[in-house]
Amino acid sequence: MTVRPVRPDVVVVGAGFSGMYMLHRLRREGFAVRTFEVASDVGGTWYWNRYPGARCDIESMDYSYSFDDDLQQEWEWSERYATQPEILRYADHVAKRFDLRRHIEFDTKVLSIVLDEDAGHWMVTTDRAGEVSAQFVVTAVGCLSTTKQPEVPGLDRFGGHTYHTGRWPHEGVDFSGQRVGVIGTGSSGIQSIPIIAQQAQHLTVFQRTPNFSMPARNAQLEREFVDQRKARYGKHRELARRSRVGVVNEVTEDLTLESSPDERERRYRRGWEKGTLFGLSSTFSDLLMDKAANDTVAEFVRDRIRDAIDDPDVADKLAPRSHAFGTKRPCLDTDYYATYNRDDVSLVDLHETPIVEITEHGIRTSDAEHELDAIVLATGFDAMTGPLIALGIRGRNGEPLADHWAAGPRTYLGLGVNGFPNLFTITGPGSPSVLSNMMVSIEQHVEWIADALAHLRDKDMSSMEVQPDAESAWANHVNEVADLTLLPTANSWYMGANVPGKPRVFMPYIGGVDLYREICDAVAAKGYEGFELS
Ligand code: FAD
Ligand code: NAP
């Protein structure tokens, strides 16, 4: 039975990996918590993204909670990169193990979160549970949970079925005998295209921007490897927490152009063979800082694409040139490029022939109408700020968060916002979040927030608010660090560039999870410096 405290201390919004752990941690600290989740069950990303081929791109033994040693010892991942169903089973296991569902109200959407300054609490309005007031609100709504539709006219006119990868039907989709079109070649497109191609009668991929993708080299996990990892799991996790990206990875000070072409080739080959997201970008220290250095690794990947594809024209279209390697999130794939060697797969380059409209029968580009039975939208998300702005948050003087962020998100540490006291954002903009193994970033934020609330309670204080100077200084720092790299040069979702009209600001913090953790720990050690406690 769901437990619903009438006046909870904390409302948590979202029951993905962030919300689940936040609930557990707060309950353990003795807080009364209500958690609202619009989905019918736990899992967040892994509840919604059920498209064929969906799996993690951080190795499962790293992409999992580390906060409980019994949990990490007892859970058995079957593959190096687990599939979506397996990750969802894991979320279910965690929910049962810690008896979380009792405090989660599913099928309940938060419609607005409004500060009542006189009463000193937040009023949270939901579609099913009415209004709930709470002293604290923690948003655990994720960075990639608000789906983005393509900006093409006629989508509602299409006579066949349309599916967004981020809202995939639970019963699955059988594309056998169908002519299928996929729009989008980010990670979701790149994972689903090879599987859809195996099922469909014909698959047409509509590509606007080609992406850099590397082979995942996925495999069943071997007993010996698992046993060895589990024997020193705690140590391994600690190294991940103290790493730059939340996974234990090679670190080098070497500069790309100071190495000989042969040495570069040797290192790139080794990085490519690793089958990890960061294997290639970590071969030299300056690949994401120096365009000339980056050109060498980008050309290496383009060569691998040419190797994989029979038709040189198709290979040319798939080879990314408009952005530097690693400036959009690279992809890990299984047989992505080889899929284009199939007779029943064709590629439409939207730079040559843009989509004009979606018709009743399919997709019309500037030179042809492609008749289709189904359209898959792998068109991504209104990332990071999208789910937060959709919460209808209003802070001091009724200021909407959307207005506060009209020129782009401004936060202190990605954890809080000036004018929005006692509201905390797990993996908010201005924190490493999407640039890292998210599990590491989620756990760090949850623990920091739980400690902060316990600190307030212990000191008999009721309010914690970001000071304006701290917010400005952090926003400047986030921008300055980003500007040291090539990442702001790409039209990426990190920059908000995928959503028309969204301010172009580099949203995550690229200083590294290791440095970031030190900063957050130091802030807490200094009595929550940069926050006003009262
Ligand atoms: P989410 O999992 O997004 O959960 C947020 C929850 O909030 C959702 O369940 C949503 O329904 C709920 N919610 C939102 N708004 C409301 C509202 N108004 N009212 C009520 N509920 C609401 N990261 C990695 O590090 N490694 C990976 O391999 C990886 N793979 C990914 C694959 C895909 C397909 C996608 C889309 C993302 C991937 N990510 C990966 C990022 C992933 O989002 C995070 O790893 C992590 O799952 C986020 O957890 P979360 O709980 O913060 O957010
Ligand atoms: P994405 O990276 O934003 O890719 C969206 C794709 O759709 C892009 O190719 C984009 O082209 C295209 N697109 C968008 N609007 C379009 C339009 N109007 N016309 C034509 N094409 C259009 O989204 P995603 O693939 O869902 O991935 C988002 C993030 O989720 C990833 O970067 C990753 O962090 C995470 N993720 C991870 C995995 C994993 O491997 N574990 C899998 C899926 C997602 P442009 O590039 O030209 O805009």
Side-chain angles (χ1 to χ4, degrees):
M1 207 185 87
T2 313
V3 178
R4 300 186 173 94
V6 182
R7 202 180 181 298
D9 303 311
V10 191
V11 162
V12 175
V13 191
F17 285 132
S18 296
M20 292 167 71
Y21 183 35
M22 192 75 249
L23 166 62
H24 172 63
R25 194 72 193 212
L26 289 171
R27 251 181 9 188
R28 217 176 67 186
E29 292 286 348
F31 289 101
V33 187
R34 280 180 83 166
T35 303
F36 299 117
E37 168 56 66
V38 67
S40 303
D41 207 345
V42 295
T45 290
W46 306 101
Y47 173 92
W48 296 109
N49 292 262
R50 299 172 187 236
Y51 59 83
R55 53 175 82 238
C56 52
D57 60 5
I58 299 284
E59 292 182 54
S60 320
M61 291 198 71
D62 291 303
Y63 187 66
S64 43
Y65 289 120
S66 70
F67 68 82
D68 186 298
D69 192 47
D70 290 342
L71 170 66
Q72 67 182 6
Q73 293 295 339
E74 80 200 8
W75 182 260
E76 293 284 333
W77 293 107
S78 66
E79 292 178 74
R80 184 182 186 198
Y81 295 105
T83 59
Q84 171 272 331
E86 188 169 354
I87 302 173
L88 198 56
R89 280 200 297 281
Y90 172 72
D92 172 64
H93 172 75
V94 174
K96 285 187 181 131
R97 193 181 201 288
F98 299 104
D99 191 17
L100 298 179
R101 288 191 176 92
R102 207 155 51 89
H103 284 100
I104 305 174
E105 290 159 67
F106 294 107
D107 300 307
T108 305
K109 183 175 184 174
V110 170
L111 302 173
S112 67
I113 303 175
V114 178
L115 182 67
D116 183 335
E117 284 187 70
D118 296 333
H121 62 222
W122 290 95
M123 190 56 80
V124 180
T125 306
T126 71
D127 62 352
R128 278 190 71 204
E131 290 193 332
V132 177
S133 68
Q135 189 182 353
F136 301 101
V137 172
V138 181
T139 67
V141 289
C143 296
L144 298 159
S145 57
T146 303
T147 53
K148 180 198 146 287
Q149 301 292 315
E151 310 71 27
V152 287
L155 206 51
D156 50 351
R157 228 182 299 149
F158 181 56
H161 289 290
T162 308
Y163 309 96
H164 194 292
T165 49
R167 289 289 179 275
W168 204 259
H170 289 198
E171 63 279 13
V173 182
D174 181 5
F175 290 114
S176 303
Q178 297 193 18
R179 297 159 303 171
V180 182
V182 174
I183 303 178
T185 49
S187 301
S188 303
I190 281 174
Q191 284 189 330
S192 57
I193 284 165
I195 315 279
I196 296 174
Q198 286 165 21
Q199 283 178 11
Q201 182 201 95
H202 190 93
L203 170 65
T204 309
V205 177
F206 296 85
Q207 171 190 270
R208 191 162 67 183
T209 312
N211 242 310
F212 291 98
S213 187
M214 300 166 286
R217 304 188 195 287
N218 186 34
Q220 295 291 310
L221 282 173
E222 289 182 9
R223 187 73 261 154
E224 197 184 337
F225 171 82
V226 173
D227 289 346
Q228 278 175 6
R229 170 63 55 82
K230 285 189 174 177
R232 55 184 297 277
Y233 223 162
K235 182 120 195 290
H236 176 83
R237 298 291 204 171
E238 190 51 28
L239 288 173
R241 286 181 206 114
R242 302 285 161 194
S243 70
R244 274 190 67 81
V245 286
V247 289
V248 181
N249 203 13
E250 198 174 2
V251 179
T252 174
E253 296 293 311
D254 297 350
L255 299 174
T256 313
L257 300 178
E258 286 181 359
S259 295
S260 68
D262 283 353
E263 172 63 5
R264 290 203 291 266
E265 179 74 12
R266 195 185 64 74
R267 290 200 192 189
Y268 293 157
R269 290 253 170 218
R270 210 182 59 205
W272 183 257
E273 290 305 320
K274 281 185 182 167
T276 61
L277 206 53
F278 306 107
L280 205 46
S281 55
S282 58
T283 46
F284 290 101
S285 61
D286 56 348
L287 283 174
L288 297 181
M289 325 268 279
D290 175 345
K291 179 64 169 59
N294 192 288
D295 286 345
T296 64
V297 73
E299 192 54 22
F300 173 85
V301 179
R302 287 192 285 266
D303 281 343
R304 301 290 72 73
I305 296 171
R306 290 181 199 111
D307 289 349
I309 293 182
D310 299 340
D311 181 335
D313 284 345
V314 175
D316 202 47
K317 287 177 179 157
L318 286 165
R321 285 192 187 75
S322 60
H323 63 283
F325 176 81
T327 56
K328 286 184 164 197
R329 186 172 167 107
C331 309
L332 279 191
D333 72 85
T334 302
D335 296 334
Y336 175 63
Y337 292 116
T339 298
Y340 291 93
N341 295 333
R342 297 174 67 115
D343 294 335
D344 50 9
V345 174
S346 35
L347 177 68
V348 175
D349 182 343
L350 297 180
H351 280 299
E352 284 175 5
T353 56
I355 296 177
V356 176
E357 61 174 345
I358 297 188
T359 66
E360 195 188 334
H361 304 292
I363 296 178
R364 195 159 71 77
T365 61
S366 58
D367 78 335
E369 181 166 359
H370 301 265
E371 292 204 358
L372 301 167
D373 302 304
I375 297 176
V376 173
L377 305 173
T379 45
F381 302 88
D382 180 356
M384 304 202 75
T385 51
L388 289 169
I389 286 177
L391 286 175
I393 302 172
R394 286 175 181 266
R396 288 202 189 280
N397 307 314
E399 187 193 24
L401 183 65
D403 287 4
H404 194 76
W405 285 358
R410 297 168 58 77
T411 70
Y412 181 40
L413 303 170
L415 279 161
V417 183
N418 171 245
F420 299 80
N422 290 349
L423 182 126
F424 300 89
T425 50
I426 302 179
T427 67
S431 72
S433 65
V434 291
L435 297 174
S436 68
N437 171 1
M438 288 286 275
M439 282 297 203
V440 170
S441 292
I442 287 169
E443 287 193 330
Q444 186 238 340
H445 266 192
V446 165
E447 287 159 15
W448 193 95
I449 293 167
D451 289 350
L453 298 196
H455 175 84
L456 281 182
R457 186 186 51 195
D458 295 348
K459 300 277 174 203
D460 215 12
M461 289 191 280
S462 60
S463 173
M464 181 162 174
E465 180 173 1
V466 170
Q467 292 174 335
D469 293 355
E471 181 176 286
S472 297
W474 185 253
N476 291 340
H477 176 62
V478 170
N479 287 331
E480 277 165 17
V481 183
D483 286 341
L484 296 174
T485 75
L486 298 170
L487 273 83
T489 63
N491 289 326
S492 64
W493 59 257
Y494 299 142
M495 290 292 292
N498 64 331
V499 176
K502 195 166 170 173
R504 297 252 173 145
V505 174
F506 190 76
M507 294 185 284
Y509 176 57
I510 201 173
V513 298
D514 46 355
L515 173 67
Y516 175 77
R517 179 184 295 270
E518 283 173 22
I519 295 171
C520 292
D521 287 350
V523 162
K526 289 182 198 155
Y528 295 92
E529 187 179 46
F531 289 89
E532 190 176 318
L533 273 52
S534 55

